[in-house]
């Protein structure tokens, strides 16, 4: 609910130009500006969306992946992972793209949470000595979801152009999630976080 409320509030504020701000230009992940030190744009871009469908997709899949991940690693770590993987994914994307590149949307972080879930489950299944099929199932399912939800859509109607999808941001968010999820899966048997620590995170 906090996730949905936050993204909806930012969307309404950006569309209305609240406080006299041009929210998109002030917060988008502009590669040229990030490359010269405007690192906060890697996170602020997660709160901005192009239109209702863009927002709705990130609300639905972000909430679903977030709730599932919270069941695995705790709610505080799960939503911190959203911010961290989204920020890292956008930062890497900005460094690899041309300076003219810019992007907005929470999907980098949504795929980051998916990556955390996939890697965390893979490490835990390996530690529990699952058979080969059950051990690699999370990787296969995660890759399939990334390809299905995060790839470029095929143009069917030549008159109505499809919105541009930043595949690089999706893949790099997912990759950042894989690294973080692997670390969390490896450390979970050794580290136990209390509910207060999760709330602080």
């Amino acid at each position: 609910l906090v996730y949905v409320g936050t993204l909806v509030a930012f969307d309404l504020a950006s569309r209305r130009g609240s406080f006299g701000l041009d929210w998109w230009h002030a917060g988008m992940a502009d590669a040229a500006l990030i490359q010269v030190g405007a690192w906060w744009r890697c996170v602020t871009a997660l709160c901005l969306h192009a239109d209702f469908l863009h927002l709705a997709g990130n609300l639905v899949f972000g909430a679903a992946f977030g709730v599932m991940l919270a069941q695995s690693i705790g709610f505080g770590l799960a939503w911190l992972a959203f911010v961290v993987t989204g920020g890292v994914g956008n930062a890497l994307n900005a460094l690899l793209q041309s300076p003219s590149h810019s992007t907005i949307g929470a999907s980098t972080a949504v795929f980051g949470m998916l990556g955390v879930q996939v890697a965390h489950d893979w490490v835990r299944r390996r530690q529990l000595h699952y058979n080969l099929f059950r051990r690699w199932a999370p990787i296969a399912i995660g890759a399939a979801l990334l390809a299905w939800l995060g790839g470029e859509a095929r143009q069917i109607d030549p008159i109505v152009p499809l919105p541009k999808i930043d595949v690089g941001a999706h893949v790099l968010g997912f990759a950042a999630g894989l690294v973080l999820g692997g670390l969390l899966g490896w450390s979970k048997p050794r580290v136990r976080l209390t509910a207060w620590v999760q709330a602080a995170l």
Side-chain angles (χ1 to χ4, degrees), residues 23 74 121 147 177:
W23 291 70
D121 282 0

Side-chain angles (χ1 to χ4, degrees), residues 113-123 138-143 174 178:
M113 287 196 297
L114 176 62
V116 173
Q117 182 74 67
V118 164
H120 178 269
D121 282 0
W122 182 81
V123 171
I139 299 289
I141 293 169
F174 184 76
L178 289 177

